[in-house]
Amino acid sequence: MNYFQPNDLNSALDVLQNNSDLTIAAGCTDLFPITNNMSLDKNILDITNIKSIKGFQFNNKETKIGSATTWTDIINENLPSCYDMLKACAKEVGSIQIQNLGTIGGNICNASPAADSIPCLLALDAKLELSSANNQRIIPIDEFILGSRKTKLEQGEILTSIIIPKEKENGSSSFRKIGARKYLVISISMVACRILISNNIIEDISISVGSCSEVAKRIFSIERQLIKKDINEDIFNQVDFSQLNEISPITDIRSTHVYRLKASKLLIKDVVKDAINKQEIAR
Ligand SMILES: Cc1cc2nc3c(=O)[nH]c(=O)nc-3n(C[C@H](O)[C@H](O)[C@H](O)COP(=O)(O)OP(=O)(O)OC[C@H]3O[C@@H](n4cnc5c(N)ncnc54)[C@H](O)[C@@H]3O)c2cc1C
């Protein structure tokens, strides 16, 4: 087994270009559970020593989250309230040990239908920066994840940053997930919401649901019905929840499709109300 642990991004991209059989490893909290061995049995590119892909970078146009930023880093960072949902998600990933090692980039690239970060990142209109030795491309997160464990990551590429546009950093946010127990839980459903209210009117809202389809989805049908509603009125009055066509919940060992659908509808109401309350408190 070959093991590479470069200290800078260019060296990592060179190693990746010259070795076609490398597995990229960050916190290994997804990689280890899929091997039965005491150690990883593949050729490894360990990216955890590369400082430039860790932590947050802020400028007037966007915020960049390094792909090797851990859940604990996210919890500890001082962030505007549109990131409350991402912090809430981070606090519920696995356990403290998993949060100390697991990275946001690993969560995205593993592309599990139950990956908790994806609904939050969809609600923030996140884009992904993919770097290789000779190229860099940026694609929206909803185009990157093609299905369960399937992404558009190409040979020779590393996910280097998650990019959040500045205009999406207004307003407040909320995240909730439900599972069979409180800790170390794989979600049965999870919902993230970002909301912007001006003069009591909902000016912008994004709602996403995960664990209820192969890939987490934005719920545009509900967003459309909530926009321009007055928060002093019953905003869910006349909102049609009957379809929710964006998701296609399945029955598996964790839940039935009927329960998932019902739970998602209730979670949507909960997170929207919670996000509204947070913005009201902040005023
Ligand atoms: C006990 C336990 C509980 C868990 N609970 C949760 C939970 O509640 N919610 C949840 O969403 N997940 C959970 N997970 C899954 C896992 O912890 C997260 O998905 C974590 O964020 C993965 O990050 P990592 O750095 O450990 O990824 P790794 O295991 O290092 O990598 C995962 C995959 O992504 C690839 N990869 C990693 N980084 C990059 C990069 N920068 N560029 C390209 N490819 C990359 C790797 O090659 C691999 O295919 C849990 C796991 C365990 C073991």
Side-chain angles (χ1 to χ4, degrees):
M1 176 187 135
N2 288 320
Y3 177 76
F4 301 92
Q5 192 183 39
N7 292 321
D8 65 87
L9 183 61
N10 285 342
S11 308
L13 295 174
D14 283 347
V15 167
L16 207 51
Q17 187 181 34
N18 296 320
N19 297 272
S20 57
D21 60 345
L22 283 183
T23 297
I24 299 170
C28 290
T29 61
D30 275 317
L31 283 175
F32 263 119
I34 55 170
T35 171
N36 291 323
N37 298 332
M38 292 298 287
S39 61
L40 296 174
D41 48 7
K42 298 173 176 159
N43 295 327
I44 295 294
L45 172 62
D46 178 341
I47 59 171
T48 57
N49 264 4
I50 307 172
K51 285 205 178 75
S52 64
I53 58 168
K54 288 181 182 187
F56 286 72
Q57 285 174 33
F58 306 94
N59 66 35
N60 294 336
K61 216 176 103 214
E62 63 202 17
T63 293
K64 278 188 171 191
I65 311 172
S67 62
T69 303
T70 65
W71 296 112
T72 301
D73 295 334
I74 291 171
I75 294 165
N76 291 336
E77 187 76 33
N78 189 13
L79 294 167
S81 58
C82 68
Y83 290 100
D84 283 357
M85 58 185 165
L86 193 62
K87 282 186 174 241
C89 150
K91 285 176 188 164
E92 291 206 43
V93 171
S95 58
I96 289 174
Q97 292 88 338
I98 297 292
Q99 291 158 18
N100 285 341
L101 286 175
T103 63
I104 189 166
N107 193 248
I108 297 167
C109 292
N110 191 53
S112 157
D116 283 327
S117 70
I118 313 293
C120 303
L121 296 174
L122 284 173
L124 286 164
D125 278 347
K127 295 187 180 73
L128 304 181
E129 178 189 84
L130 306 170
S131 304
S132 59
N134 303 316
N135 195 22
Q136 191 174 75
R137 60 189 180 119
I138 293 173
I139 62 171
I141 188 160
D142 59 334
E143 289 176 22
F144 178 72
I145 303 177
L146 300 172
S148 177
R149 319 274 172 189
K150 284 183 234 135
T151 71
K152 271 195 179 159
L153 191 77
E154 286 174 8
Q155 176 68 41
E157 279 184 330
I158 295 179
L159 167 62
T160 38
S161 294
I162 298 104
I163 302 170
I164 312 296
K166 220 52 196 171
E167 64 271 19
K168 294 293 163 184
E169 290 193 335
N170 295 321
S172 55
S173 69
S174 179
F175 170 86
R176 297 230 169 118
K177 77 175 183 181
I178 51 162
R181 54 181 185 267
K182 184 75 186 118
Y183 295 104
L184 281 169
V185 64
I186 299 176
S187 303
I188 288 172
S189 171
M190 76 282 226
V191 177
C193 170
R194 188 191 71 86
I195 198 163
L196 179 65
I197 299 161
S198 177
N199 296 325
N200 296 323
I201 301 296
I202 299 176
E203 295 295 348
D204 193 11
I205 183 162
S206 38
I207 303 167
S208 320
V209 173
S211 266
C212 286
S213 36
E214 222 187 337
V215 183
K217 295 283 182 191
R218 276 281 290 272
I219 311 295
F220 293 111
S221 60
I222 306 290
E223 292 176 12
R224 274 195 297 270
Q225 295 180 75
L226 289 174
I227 207 100
K228 297 294 174 199
K229 290 247 173 170
D230 186 330
I231 58 158
N232 291 323
E233 289 162 17
D234 176 5
I235 56 164
F236 290 110
N237 184 24
Q238 293 177 348
V239 168
D240 178 9
F241 274 90
S242 62
Q243 300 299 322
L244 237 60
N245 283 333
E246 294 90 342
I247 56 173
S248 43
I250 56 162
T251 296
D252 62 11
I253 49 161
R254 287 196 290 278
S255 176
T256 65
H257 72 279
V258 176
Y259 181 83
R260 279 199 160 95
L261 190 59
K262 203 168 176 181
S264 300
K265 289 176 184 175
L266 293 173
L267 279 181
I268 289 175
K269 288 186 182 175
D270 276 0
V271 292
V272 172
K273 283 181 193 160
D274 190 47
I276 290 173
N277 286 341
K278 282 185 177 150
Q279 195 164 336
E280 286 298 281
I281 292 164
R283 281 204 304 176

